[in-house]
Amino acid sequence: MLSNLPEEVLYQILSNLDYKSLSRLSQVCRTIHQFVNRDAVWRKIAKELLNTGITRHGRDIYPHVPLKERVKMSQNWYNGVCKIAITLKWKIKLLPWLQLDGDALFLSQAAEIGAYHLRQDRGGRHTRNLVAVFSGHRGDVCRFTLTDSHLISGGSDGKILVHNRRGHGRVELLGHNQEVNCLDARGGLIVSGSRDRTARIWTSSSTVPRDTVALYDRVWSVAISPALSCECVSSLGEEFRRGAGVLDMVFETPHQLYTCGYDTYIRLWDLRLSPRKCVMEWEEPHDSALYCLQTDGNHMIASGSSYYGVVRLWDKRQSKCLKYFQLTTDRVSSPVYCLRFSSSHLYAAIATALHALDFRRNAQDLLC
């Protein structure tokens, strides 16, 4: 019998099978099932097929998920196989923002930010439980970001609040004269951008800005390089019409920066080149502004459109969109204001709801 073979021989045989064959083989008997489900059997296939990253900065970012399950979910991502559900809904139109941290999801709704614990019930459904609320703004929260110990929020009141995630205390920074459109924090630094045409750099130990950079237009988006560099790397373009520039940006490495905005393109910039140069670009096919984007550190990009709640998935190795999902109807249109994803879920926040796209194994799964 196959199960009686020495393990090294069995590994050699299984290394020649594709993922569908391995999945079917695992159903033969309990002994084979246990052997086939080992990560060592799936490691080679995982390196070839995973579209959502295995490692980031040399560390496994999903160590709790078996490689077999990650391969299955990856193929579902690539082929657009998912279940779409509304996780949260509210009655008035908002400009929500969200962040993920493990099994915790943070979502801004008007002047408050709710922290929800995400989990599965016995039926496999995704549920949420409100565990904390962060407040203190006199207007709507425009943006917020997370560190290991703090939640930093900026609001339409011009305030920047530093909330302690493990307690009830908060510190108010000097802030801006007008609404805070964007924030980022890393390594003890905080960067904020405002409608008042300034970007400010803060340290976690002071309530007054360390530096203020005056600009010619409102600041829509900021990002801190993983290298923690505070130098100006030069302009990435000045051809945008007034008020219509970059709406979101994401550093993937200290040298790779992704941007998107009103001109309907996702662009990858190589900051090592002089002058800085766009090395790849992906065009939104329906000529819609792109409000947000996320990358997985490997091959996958997700973007959110300004019309009809459209989320698109892109493979960086291809120029055309892989799949798209429309979260609103033709009669009720909304931008996707923010999106985040884990190994199994993509969360998209629109004006009236938070949608969850579940890419785990289900009845429609392409694998057995």
Side-chain angles (χ1 to χ4, degrees), residues 256-257 267-271 273 277-282:
Q256 292 182 313
L257 176 68
R267 289 191 169 92
L268 169 60
W269 304 86
D270 190 333
L271 302 183
L273 302 178
K277 183 179 179 182
C278 173
V279 293
M280 290 188 70
E281 60 184 23
W282 298 265

Side-chain angles (χ1 to χ4, degrees), residues 220-221 240 245-250 257-269 282 289-294 301-304:
W220 283 114
S221 183
F240 303 106
V246 171
L247 293 177
D248 199 8
M249 62 176 71
V250 176
L257 176 68
Y258 288 85
T259 64
C260 70
Y262 279 107
D263 69 347
T264 76
Y265 280 88
I266 300 170
R267 289 191 169 92
L268 169 60
W269 304 86
W282 298 265
L290 296 175
Y291 274 44
C292 53
L293 78 149
Q294 278 286 284
I301 305 174
S303 64

Side-chain angles (χ1 to χ4, degrees), residues 199-215:
R200 290 184 170 178
I201 302 171
W202 317 73
T203 62
S204 55
S205 60
S206 176
T207 59
V208 297
R210 192 187 77 178
D211 296 292
T212 297
V213 181
L215 299 164

Side-chain angles (χ1 to χ4, degrees), residues 67-243:
L67 280 182
K68 176 183 176 181
E69 296 304 314
R70 278 190 260 181
V71 169
K72 291 185 175 185
M73 288 187 294
S74 175
Q75 293 306 292
N76 283 348
W77 278 89
Y78 191 83
N79 292 286
V81 177
C82 67
K83 293 180 179 179
I84 303 177
I86 295 177
T87 303
L88 287 166
K89 197 170 184 179
W90 44 93
K91 294 182 179 180
I92 60 174
K93 289 188 176 182
L94 302 173
L95 277 71
W97 194 254
L98 64 97
Q99 298 284 1
L100 280 179
D101 185 14
D103 60 357
L105 182 145
F106 296 78
L107 175 71
S108 67
Q109 296 172 279
E112 295 183 335
I113 301 166
Y116 297 86
H117 178 64
L118 303 175
R119 60 190 177 188
Q120 298 177 28
D121 61 18
R122 292 184 177 181
R125 293 170 297 184
H126 216 50
T127 62
R128 76 281 184 278
N129 180 35
L130 181 64
V131 294
V133 175
F134 301 89
S135 59
H137 287 280
R138 292 192 295 268
D140 288 355
V141 174
C142 299
R143 289 289 188 274
F144 68 91
T145 189
L146 301 175
T147 68
D148 290 339
S149 57
H150 292 88
L151 182 153
I152 302 122
S153 61
S156 60
D157 54 4
K159 284 185 178 182
I160 298 175
L161 302 180
V162 181
H163 308 262
N164 189 322
R165 289 176 57 179
R166 297 175 179 84
H168 301 288
R170 67 172 183 263
V171 175
E172 181 176 340
L173 306 186
L174 183 62
H176 288 264
N177 297 327
Q178 298 185 48
E179 67 187 52
V180 179
N181 292 321
C182 48
L183 276 173
D184 196 15
R186 189 190 297 266
L189 290 178
I190 301 171
V191 176
S192 61
S194 171
R195 189 185 182 93
D196 66 8
R197 304 181 187 179
T198 65
R200 290 184 170 178
I201 302 171
W202 317 73
T203 62
S204 55
S205 60
S206 176
T207 59
V208 297
R210 192 187 77 178
D211 296 292
T212 297
V213 181
L215 299 164
Y216 69 92
D217 201 354
R218 70 182 69 179
V219 183
W220 283 114
S221 183
V222 295
I224 300 177
S225 165
L228 296 178
S229 172
C230 290
E231 63 176 334
C232 178
V233 297
S234 81
S235 173
L236 299 179
E238 299 179 351
E239 68 278 6
F240 303 106
R241 67 181 185 275
R242 189 173 183 81

